[in-house]
Amino acid sequence: MANVTSMKSNAPDISRDSLLMLAREAREAAKSLALTSGETRTQAIYAIANEVTGRVSEILESNIKDMSAAQESGLSEAKLDRLSLDEKRLEGFVSALKEIAVLPDPLRVLASWERPNGLQIERMATPLGVIGMIYESRPGVTLDAACLCIKSGNGAILRGGSESFHSNRALHRCVVAGLEHAGLPRAAIALVPTRERRSVSEMLAGLDGCIDVIVPRGGRSLVELVWDKARVPVFGHLEGVCHVYVDKSARLDMACEIVVNSKLRRTGICGAAETLLVDSACAQEYVSALASTLREHGCEIRGDNRARQIYPDIKAATGEDWSKEYLDKIITLGVVDGVRGAIEHIAAYGSGHTESIVSEDADAVAQFFRNVDSAILLHNASTQFADGGELGMGAEIGIATGKFHARGPVGAEQLVGWKYLVRGSGQLRP
Amino acid sequence: MANVTSMKSNAPDISRDSLLMLAREAREAAKSLALTSGETRTQAIYAIANEVTGRVSEILESNIKDMSAAQESGLSEAKLDRLSLDEKRLEGFVSALKEIAVLPDPLRVLASWERPNGLQIERMATPLGVIGMIYESRPGVTLDAACLCIKSGNGAILRGGSESFHSNRALHRCVVAGLEHAGLPRAAIALVPTRERRSVSEMLAGLDGCIDVIVPRGGRSLVELVWDKARVPVFGHLEGVCHVYVDKSARLDMACEIVVNSKLRRTGICGAAETLLVDSACAQEYVSALASTLREHGCEIRGDNRARQIYPDIKAATGEDWSKEYLDKIITLGVVDGVRGAIEHIAAYGSGHTESIVSEDADAVAQFFRNVDSAILLHNASTQFADGGELGMGAEIGIATGKFHARGPVGAEQLVGWKYLVRGSGQLRP
């Protein structure tokens, strides 16, 4: 489809040379951006927010061009929805930018201590350099990514989906204007002005060392391509096969609400639950209640044998089902023997992204939190909270399931990653 | 040489299958190690220290085997020195282990906060998994690496230099005994029982996903091989081309002491200075004083034209000299125009490892600390402090010049690395 639309468009293609020049300029600009004060970087983000507010009609006109081309080319409804903009969505973008603006400056002293010999030591945060952002046709990502990079003193090379070409250009004009308004180098946040796939492979090769890390955002095929071909580090995740485990101690009403929200609030996001695990000790009652609630909400269920013995009127899950990211109104349902069974199932089929335990038993929760090695673990809360903004970290540029961080002396302190432990009391994401 | 000695030895070679089995056992053992308490992991390290103290003669006998084989094979003096053990060195190892033991548990809550909706969030440190350690014939690394991994709940696969084969086996027996004494799985810290190079390439391929990160320690050829061939992340650095910049505001006596210590305390370590940069504003007086002091200590000097005009009796530095890691009694000497000139020189020729500024001018120091993007920056202190133990972080498994760390939502906070800023008052490393 990208080709179809690009043939329709009069969008300039870009030569490898001009792509490299753009990357080198971004690298140089990022170096000076790294030396600016947190106040200046914050001002730039407010200025970008103002630009968006002041150019609503210009942005929506560009979006209409993209939408009509996308409709002609027969883009799926889901993708059209992600592509489309209206005043309300733009307002949402603006408030998201303001959330980023008010975050504390990431470029600060992270720790400091003194040695017996009088040496005083600080661990100081520094930018990574230039972030290569490769994402689908979702214009809001252009603003989020740009402002998260500005906030953290990093440059960026943005390569959005072809269908969002005009919308991204309009939003990027806001970014450039905001940078200049704050006296920051406009080249620091570059938009790849092309719809050709080739620019992606050039970015994955690191553009001559100008890209320090790649962040992919989009469908599985895109992310797989990136993991497979990237010759620079990648911040991202291949898929979110997220689990909800309902323990025998769980309150059934809470369990039903959390399962429905985890699966169905939005089925297309990586934090959507794909598998429901029920404790065999409460399966007789809970499986039927949970399954019929999901059914009432129009969700297809694929169960294992133990689940189907209790609730026969559901499809049998195949081997692949248990590790599949449906991103749809489909869920696998399995019966496991207590929290240990859940831990083993998740270790076997999970993707290390996000899992939730519904339980009133502190020991079961502690065991789950200790033994499941996923990036985000929740207790009595929806997996759909798997989102930087929802965790209070400001907007996110992506969710990484990697583990690595180390600079300077790699001692025991540097040989650890982390995971987020989220304790709730039945919160649902509105 | 490795082959010569291995032909002499009756060391068993290891098949790919048994290497994989060893790796899978380490991976499984690491999972249970990850769930142990900090107290238990600390006990294991004390137990290992006791084992070393109790087996001094056994260890020294094994070392004698290695030393005689190494001497026959004509190993260099420097390498023989690194290989050799005596009671004093073993005592040093033991106290190093005790320093690791008393470190706070790295597997702790790193941060915690609450959301307006009542969600309570903790960022919890987790082990990386299994560390693949590839190092030269330096037996002490076997103990350091093993205990840093145990402290942080990680498994390890240790592949030491062939010449240290018998010494490593003896020290590894202490590690295994210590693990068992603390009730921890002995397989968590594995020693590759082979002298064949092939085991290295197998490790670089990740041993079927059993290795999460590779840490290379050794000569440039080894580290280059690792960077080039590793298919798993690497914690390390290619070289330490470290600089000392002497500002016009520097106290000359302090500058002389710091330069001599930075270059000559030990020339063979990565934190040894390789280049001395002198501010043109004080060059006339300082270049001669610094150069003659270095000369008195038997250091060869290679200077740029400006340095040689002031101090003619030194070789001219070639283009390659400025980016060379001598690891020897040789230093390049250049004259630069103030701190800005030093920053530009380091950006052009440095390796991002460690740099020191000698200065009494707070603005110059601030400019240096802000603008030089190396892992470790020092003020009025020797570059030879570039060492985890010296920075108070406990022993180190290596020094990384990479920048990456991200798990969970990658927000602005996750888009930063760090550097160490060290402020001193003329400290020399004894």
Side-chain angles (χ1 to χ4, degrees):
Chain A
M1 273 174 277
N3 298 337
V4 179
T5 52
S6 59
M7 277 183 285
K8 286 186 191 302
S9 85
N10 47 21
D13 185 16
I14 184 169
S15 71
R16 178 160 199 283
D17 287 353
S18 36
L19 195 58
L20 279 176
M21 183 172 305
L22 169 145
R24 293 201 188 94
E25 284 170 6
R27 180 154 215 68
E28 280 316 301
K31 281 182 191 163
S32 47
L33 185 65
L35 304 177
T36 57
S37 71
E39 295 67 32
T40 311
R41 280 176 271 118
T42 299
Q43 282 165 23
I45 296 170
Y46 280 121
I48 291 166
N50 292 338
E51 291 291 335
V52 173
T53 313
R55 299 177 189 223
V56 169
S57 54
E58 173 191 339
I59 296 166
L60 293 183
E61 280 160 26
S62 315
N63 185 246
I64 288 167
K65 285 191 206 160
D66 286 333
M67 286 296 288
S68 50
Q71 277 152 345
E72 285 180 49
S73 70
L75 201 66
S76 75
E77 275 312 311
K79 286 189 171 179
L80 285 171
D81 175 61
R82 290 181 190 169
L83 176 59
S84 70
L85 296 177
D86 55 29
E87 293 202 18
K88 201 160 162 311
R89 282 197 174 177
L90 289 180
E91 279 165 27
F93 294 168
V94 167
S95 47
L97 296 197
K98 288 176 178 169
E99 274 182 36
I100 297 173
V102 298
L103 291 174
D105 185 0
L107 301 182
R108 62 175 179 270
V109 173
L110 300 174
S112 63
W113 59 93
E114 185 165 345
R115 297 289 298 152
N117 61 10
L119 287 180
Q120 296 165 21
I121 300 164
E122 294 177 348
R123 182 185 296 142
M124 175 79 193
T126 62
L128 296 176
V130 175
I131 314 299
M133 187 80 196
I134 300 175
Y135 52 107
E136 57 197 329
S137 294
R138 211 168 178 165
V141 175
T142 304
L143 288 174
D144 275 358
C147 292
L148 283 166
C149 290
I150 293 168
K151 184 75 186 183
S152 52
N154 288 289
I157 296 173
L158 307 174
R159 203 292 186 188
S162 353
E163 299 85 358
S164 56
F165 180 76
H166 296 292
S167 314
N168 284 342
R169 290 223 297 190
L171 293 169
H172 183 250
R173 283 194 290 272
C174 300
V175 171
V176 170
L179 284 168
E180 286 179 330
H181 183 277
L184 295 178
R186 55 180 295 150
I189 308 295
L191 181 72
V192 176
T194 175
R195 295 175 148 183
E196 300 307 322
R197 268 251 165 269
R198 208 193 64 255
S199 58
V200 171
S201 42
E202 298 280 5
M203 286 174 72
L204 296 182
L207 285 172
D208 238 7
C210 289
I211 293 182
D212 294 283
V213 57
I214 291 277
V215 180
R217 281 275 293 276
R220 192 191 163 88
S221 59
L222 169 64
V223 182
E224 252 170 353
L225 171 79
V226 169
W227 279 119
D228 188 37
K229 295 269 181 297
R231 268 176 273 149
V232 290
V234 176
F235 284 168
H237 63 277
L238 196 48
E239 54 187 0
V241 180
C242 305
H243 298 71
V244 177
Y245 165 66
V246 177
D247 188 60
K248 64 174 182 299
S249 67
R251 283 172 35 205
L252 182 53
D253 55 341
M254 184 193 283
C256 290
E257 290 181 324
I258 287 177
V259 168
V260 168
N261 186 259
S262 297
K263 174 72 254 188
L264 300 170
R265 173 186 162 273
R266 282 177 61 191
T267 57
I269 66 175
C270 57
E274 306 293 4
T275 296
L276 167 59
L277 300 173
V278 179
D279 189 342
S280 54
C282 63
Q284 207 56 44
E285 179 191 0
Y286 282 31
V287 162
S288 316
L290 289 161
S292 39
T293 310
L294 283 163
R295 277 289 196 70
E296 288 158 17
H297 287 79
C299 182
E300 177 190 331
I301 305 171
R302 302 179 186 177
D304 66 3
N305 294 337
R306 296 170 82 180
R308 293 174 71 227
Q309 276 161 23
I310 299 165
Y311 195 84
D313 183 20
I314 51 175
K315 270 200 197 149
T318 68
E320 303 83 59
D321 280 323
W322 299 105
S323 48
K324 197 177 280 173
E325 184 182 33
Y326 294 112
L327 299 174
D328 198 356
K329 288 186 159 196
I330 307 170
I331 193 166
T332 44
L333 167 57
V335 174
V336 295
D337 295 326
V339 67
R340 174 147 305 288
I343 290 161
E344 284 163 8
H345 181 102
I346 293 169
Y349 300 103
S351 60
H353 192 294
T354 297
E355 335 293 345
S356 177
I357 176 174
V358 186
S359 168
E360 298 301 315
D361 173 356
D363 294 345
V365 176
Q367 207 182 338
F368 190 85
F369 276 8
R370 242 168 65 100
N371 290 274
V372 177
D373 188 25
S374 297
I376 306 174
L377 300 178
L378 305 107
H379 168 223
N380 288 353
S382 167
T383 59
Q384 301 237 350
F385 282 112
D387 174 289
E390 292 304 314
L391 295 188
M393 299 162 64
E396 72 190 24
I397 200 170
I399 291 184
T401 48
K403 293 177 170 184
F404 298 98
H405 68 289
R407 194 184 190 197
V410 184
E413 201 64 43
Q414 286 67 46
L415 290 173
V416 300
W418 53 64
K419 62 184 171 187
Y420 294 92
L421 308 180
V422 186
R423 294 186 169 84
S425 51
Q427 291 88 342
L428 305 179
R429 186 170 172 181
Chain B
M1 274 173 274
N3 296 337
V4 179
T5 54
S6 58
M7 278 185 283
K8 287 182 190 306
S9 86
N10 47 19
D13 185 16
I14 184 169
S15 71
R16 179 159 199 283
D17 287 353
S18 36
L19 195 58
L20 279 176
M21 180 171 307
L22 168 145
R24 294 203 186 91
E25 285 171 5
R27 179 152 215 70
E28 281 316 300
K31 282 181 188 162
S32 47
L33 185 65
L35 305 177
T36 56
S37 70
E39 294 68 33
T40 311
R41 282 175 272 118
T42 299
Q43 282 166 21
I45 296 170
Y46 280 121
I48 292 167
N50 292 339
E51 291 292 335
V52 173
T53 313
R55 299 175 186 225
V56 168
S57 54
E58 173 191 337
I59 296 166
L60 294 182
E61 281 160 25
S62 317
N63 185 245
I64 288 166
K65 286 192 206 158
D66 287 332
M67 287 295 288
S68 50
Q71 277 150 344
E72 285 180 49
S73 70
L75 200 66
S76 74
E77 276 312 312
K79 287 187 170 181
L80 285 172
D81 175 61
R82 291 180 191 172
L83 174 59
S84 71
L85 296 178
D86 55 31
E87 293 203 17
K88 200 159 163 308
R89 283 196 173 177
L90 289 180
E91 281 166 24
F93 294 168
V94 166
S95 46
L97 296 194
K98 288 175 177 170
E99 275 183 35
I100 297 174
V102 299
L103 291 174
D105 185 2
L107 301 181
R108 63 175 178 271
V109 174
L110 300 173
S112 63
W113 59 93
E114 186 165 343
R115 296 288 298 151
N117 60 10
L119 287 181
Q120 296 166 21
I121 300 165
E122 294 178 346
R123 182 186 296 143
M124 175 80 193
T126 63
L128 297 177
V130 175
I131 314 299
M133 187 80 196
I134 300 175
Y135 51 107
E136 57 196 327
S137 294
R138 208 165 178 167
V141 175
T142 304
L143 288 174
D144 275 357
C147 291
L148 284 165
C149 290
I150 293 167
K151 183 76 186 183
S152 53
N154 289 288
I157 296 174
L158 307 175
R159 202 291 184 188
S162 354
E163 299 85 357
S164 56
F165 180 77
H166 295 289
S167 313
N168 285 342
R169 291 224 297 190
L171 293 170
H172 183 250
R173 283 195 289 273
C174 299
V175 171
V176 170
L179 284 168
E180 287 179 329
H181 183 277
L184 296 178
R186 54 180 295 150
I189 308 294
L191 180 72
V192 176
T194 175
R195 296 176 149 183
E196 300 309 320
R197 268 250 165 266
R198 210 194 64 256
S199 59
V200 172
S201 43
E202 298 280 5
M203 287 176 70
L204 297 181
L207 285 172
D208 238 5
C210 289
I211 293 183
D212 294 284
V213 57
I214 292 276
V215 180
R217 283 275 295 273
R220 189 190 165 91
S221 59
L222 168 65
V223 182
E224 250 169 355
L225 172 79
V226 170
W227 280 119
D228 188 37
K229 296 268 182 296
R231 267 174 276 152
V232 289
V234 176
F235 285 167
H237 63 275
L238 196 48
E239 54 187 359
V241 180
C242 306
H243 298 71
V244 177
Y245 164 65
V246 176
D247 187 59
K248 64 175 181 298
S249 67
R251 283 173 33 208
L252 181 53
D253 57 341
M254 184 193 284
C256 288
E257 291 181 324
I258 288 178
V259 168
V260 168
N261 186 260
S262 298
K263 173 72 254 187
L264 299 171
R265 173 185 162 273
R266 281 179 61 191
T267 56
I269 66 175
C270 57
E274 305 294 4
T275 296
L276 167 60
L277 300 172
V278 180
D279 188 342
S280 54
C282 63
Q284 206 56 44
E285 179 190 0
Y286 283 30
V287 162
S288 316
L290 289 161
S292 40
T293 310
L294 284 163
R295 279 288 197 67
E296 286 159 18
H297 289 77
C299 183
E300 177 190 331
I301 304 172
R302 301 180 186 176
D304 67 1
N305 294 337
R306 296 170 82 180
R308 295 174 70 227
Q309 274 161 24
I310 299 165
Y311 196 83
D313 183 21
I314 52 175
K315 269 201 199 149
T318 69
E320 304 82 62
D321 280 323
W322 299 104
S323 49
K324 196 178 280 173
E325 185 181 34
Y326 293 112
L327 301 174
D328 198 356
K329 289 187 158 194
I330 308 173
I331 193 167
T332 44
L333 168 58
V335 174
V336 294
D337 296 326
V339 67
R340 174 146 302 290
I343 290 161
E344 285 163 8
H345 180 101
I346 292 168
Y349 300 103
S351 61
H353 192 295
T354 297
E355 335 292 345
S356 178
I357 177 173
V358 186
S359 168
E360 298 301 316
D361 173 358
D363 295 345
V365 176
Q367 207 182 338
F368 190 86
F369 276 9
R370 243 166 65 96
N371 291 275
V372 177
D373 188 25
S374 296
I376 307 174
L377 301 177
L378 305 106
H379 168 223
N380 287 354
S382 166
T383 59
Q384 302 235 349
F385 282 113
D387 174 289
E390 292 305 313
L391 296 187
M393 298 162 65
E396 72 190 21
I397 200 168
I399 292 186
T401 48
K403 294 178 171 187
F404 298 98
H405 68 291
R407 195 183 190 199
V410 183
E413 202 65 46
Q414 285 67 46
L415 292 172
V416 300
W418 53 63
K419 62 184 172 186
Y420 295 93
L421 307 180
V422 186
R423 296 188 167 82
S425 52
Q427 291 86 342
L428 303 180
R429 187 169 171 180

